[in-house]
Amino acid sequence: MKSVEINYELEKNMEVISQLDDLVGDAVDNVLVDPDECWQPSDFLPDFHNPEVFEEVKLLQKRAEGIPDTVLTSLVGNMITEEALPSYQTYFNLLEGINEERSLLSPSGWVRWSKAWTAEENRHGDLLNKYLYLTGRVDMKAVEQTIHRLLSNGFDPKSESDPYQAMIYTSFQERATKISHVNTGKLADKAGDYVLSRICKTIAGDEARHEKAYKSFMAKIFEIDPSGAMVAFEKMMRKQIVMPAVLMGEGGKRESLYRDFSEITQKVGIYTGWDYARIIQHLVDYWKIEAVTGLNDMASKAQDYLSNLADRYMRLADRMKAPDEVKLAWLK
Ligand SMILES: [Fe+2]
Ligand SMILES: [Fe+2]
């Protein structure tokens, strides 16, 4: 008879996760926004009911003319990342302890969160995709092929199926996307496209709400199970945070697509090695990692590791040279 190995750590994490169900359900009602009250992509786009719409489109294109190719490529990459959100909803519902009933109609707070959160995210890709299409500067077919490929390739954040590690990952990732959108907005402003700037800032505002929620879920886990939370944080950071769109080029004609895109965001300052280090520091401070007491041995070692981690990445970022030349993608 085949023996089934019980993963006690995962069992415990699942138990803690189920204790958070009400808190998460409250976040759905209080942090996420009802579809009728929420901004929608059409609020930022030309209205095709308007007889003057083609004038509006011309103005949009005029404003977008000044956006540097590197910034536009970064924006396309960010949009593609947002467009792969079916993978994120699937990932979330596959985590242990999140969707015990295996039903998207489950009344559980976690399942409701997974849907309401990704429904908010859906507007990001939708708005950026339409906007970029209207600028007339993007090779839409190439973009669509990348989205298609990324979705078919899937997504592996290396959090295993551990819900603790997933909460670390999403806290980190929401902050990372917020930073990317804020910085893109600043560059759009500088290039004279105030509408795009407003779009990026609005999306960043959503990411900020999501980030706050995920950090609060994780804070609760630290409260209930400090040692388990600490070890999960260490595990996730040792594997490093893999960006969600990392598989965009795999199996395609240009395998280096993701690397090229991240070199550009590094070069123009949309998302850099310093940002990575600063996010770690922020999370370490936010969860008061250095002040947690009563840890077991393994968790104490994790605490030491985490306390110095941001400095190590800062030094690494200082030494990292921005590439002299970058390879553009997706532009006409
Ligand atoms: Fe987003
Ligand atoms: Fe988000």
Side-chain angles (χ1 to χ4, degrees):
M1 204 176 94
K2 201 178 153 207
S3 72
V4 181
E5 209 184 298
I6 299 172
N7 183 337
Y8 289 102
E9 193 190 346
L10 196 54
E11 294 279 324
K12 174 204 55 155
N13 294 3
M14 286 163 64
E15 164 55 32
V16 171
I17 279 296
S18 70
Q19 288 177 40
L20 262 65
D21 202 73
D22 287 345
L23 174 90
V24 175
D26 286 346
V28 176
D29 301 325
N30 300 314
V31 177
L32 299 181
V33 187
D34 185 90
D36 289 335
E37 268 115 59
C38 210
W39 67 262
Q40 297 298 342
S42 56
D43 300 339
F44 297 86
L45 295 165
D47 177 0
F48 277 79
H49 270 111
N50 177 356
E52 313 280 290
V53 67
F54 292 106
E55 283 310 305
E56 271 188 62
V57 173
K58 263 189 216 150
L59 280 172
L60 182 153
Q61 296 194 337
K62 190 96 203 114
R63 282 192 300 267
E65 260 172 26
I67 304 169
D69 285 348
T70 46
V71 176
L72 202 61
T73 300
S74 304
L75 184 66
V76 173
N78 287 349
M79 178 265 272
I80 291 168
T81 309
E82 297 280 359
E83 290 284 48
L85 91 90
S87 301
Y88 314 143
Q89 193 188 69
T90 307
Y91 157 71
F92 205 90
N93 278 281
L94 287 173
L95 294 166
E96 293 291 351
I98 293 288
N99 194 341
E100 295 290 86
E101 292 165 67
R102 302 280 182 264
S103 162
L104 282 178
L105 298 181
S106 158
S108 122
W110 283 110
V111 176
R112 287 175 57 225
W113 171 271
S114 78
K115 293 178 292 177
W117 162 57
T118 46
E120 283 200 356
E121 293 287 354
N122 183 54
R123 290 138 59 248
H124 302 169
D126 196 358
L127 173 54
L128 292 175
N129 195 324
K130 285 180 179 129
Y131 184 86
L132 284 162
Y133 167 66
L134 288 172
T135 65
R137 289 185 57 192
V138 175
D139 179 349
M140 287 310 289
K141 177 113 182 199
V143 168
E144 286 153 359
Q145 283 164 339
T146 308
I147 296 171
H148 193 154
R149 186 166 304 282
L150 177 58
L151 277 164
S152 357
N153 283 344
F155 164 59
D156 179 18
K158 299 200 182 137
S159 60
E160 300 151 45
S161 49
D162 174 12
Y164 283 18
Q165 290 183 65
M167 293 305 119
I168 303 279
Y169 180 85
T170 45
S171 297
F172 190 106
Q173 200 48 55
E174 291 288 353
R175 190 169 179 85
T177 45
K178 177 184 80 181
I179 290 168
S180 297
H181 289 306
V182 165
N183 289 335
T184 311
K186 283 183 190 159
L187 291 168
D189 224 357
K190 215 168 124 194
D193 192 337
Y194 69 91
V195 176
L196 178 60
S197 167
R198 208 155 46 96
I199 288 173
C200 292
K201 283 176 196 158
T202 306
I203 295 175
D206 280 6
E207 312 296 17
R209 272 188 299 114
H210 303 159
E211 177 201 341
K212 218 172 143 205
Y214 280 119
K215 283 189 313 197
S216 76
F217 302 161
M218 198 58 215
K220 191 73 192 167
I221 297 173
F222 267 104
E223 217 178 285
I224 305 173
D225 178 15
S227 288
M230 196 67 81
V231 170
F233 193 4
E234 183 204 11
K235 272 192 197 160
M236 198 67 248
M237 297 320 298
R238 278 198 193 273
K239 286 178 274 194
Q240 298 189 350
I241 299 291
V242 189
M243 295 300 148
V246 70
L247 297 178
M248 61 164 67
E250 211 139 290
K253 284 189 217 110
R254 185 165 160 186
E255 295 257 358
S256 65
L257 200 50
Y258 178 77
R259 208 182 50 234
D260 298 341
F261 157 59
S262 49
E263 281 188 351
I264 295 175
T265 58
Q266 169 86 25
K267 190 169 175 73
V268 296
I270 283 178
Y271 185 72
T272 68
W274 290 291
D275 291 316
Y276 191 93
R278 281 191 288 259
I279 296 173
I280 298 173
Q281 190 61 56
H282 172 83
L283 296 176
V284 165
D285 294 342
Y286 187 88
W287 292 317
K288 301 189 176 63
I289 293 304
E290 287 165 86
V292 180
T293 53
L295 296 171
N296 62 29
D297 266 7
M298 216 171 134
S300 289
K301 284 194 190 108
Q303 186 178 35
D304 289 342
Y305 170 79
L306 290 164
S307 303
N308 303 312
L309 193 59
D311 282 348
R312 280 169 49 189
Y313 274 101
M314 232 1 142
R315 286 196 296 274
L316 216 66
D318 287 340
R319 285 200 301 269
M320 205 152 62
K321 213 170 112 339
D324 296 325
E325 253 179 82
V326 288
K327 280 191 233 119
L328 295 167
W330 307 303
L331 301 191
K332 270 207 171 126

